[in-house]
Amino acid sequence: MRYDTKIYFVKTGAQNYDPATGNYTAAAPVKTLIYGDVNDTQAEMLQIIYGQIVQGSYTVRILGSYTDPYDYIEIGGKRYNVDYFRRFRRYEAFYVREAQ
């Protein structure tokens, strides 16, 4: 496996109320870069996780583990939601689907 794809774990910024304008302002999201291995998810695993074949789903593996809170993963400028993840001895696997 090659861990050569840039994967960003993104935590969205908090929204603060500005009483002067009456609007909410959002802080910039915090992105953490980790290199990982990205592959298409196998049909058998798609059946287990979703109960059907789903387009735009990938298996993402990273060495070690990522324990910081995050809201979504960004790969190649696209946003992905994590539907399922597994922790193994040396790596973590995330099963992600493209966000709508």
Side-chain angles (χ1 to χ4, degrees):
M1 281 185 249
R2 290 180 138 183
Y3 295 89
D4 60 349
T5 306
K6 290 182 180 181
I7 300 165
Y8 293 96
F9 287 86
V10 182
K11 178 69 177 164
T12 55
Q15 292 190 350
N16 299 319
Y17 180 72
D18 185 4
T21 62
N23 294 329
Y24 283 91
T25 57
V30 178
K31 294 183 178 183
T32 305
L33 171 65
I34 294 181
Y35 284 90
D37 176 49
V38 179
N39 297 317
D40 289 329
T41 304
Q42 295 180 357
E44 294 85 11
M45 189 54 104
L46 288 173
Q47 280 293 97
I48 292 171
I49 295 173
Y50 305 112
Q52 62 184 354
I53 303 298
V54 176
Q55 297 294 323
S57 62
Y58 295 101
T59 301
V60 177
R61 293 177 188 87
I62 62 169
L63 290 175
S65 63
Y66 187 80
T67 57
D68 294 339
Y70 62 92
D71 294 318
Y72 60 91
I73 290 178
E74 190 175 298
I75 304 168
K78 293 185 179 178
R79 184 177 172 166
Y80 293 89
N81 294 327
V82 176
D83 293 324
Y84 183 70
F85 82 97
R86 293 184 65 187
R87 229 176 236 143
F88 296 98
R89 181 176 293 166
R90 296 193 174 129
Y91 67 92
E92 274 187 341
F94 299 88
Y95 299 95
V96 299
R97 179 174 37 172
E98 193 169 351
Q100 307 302 336

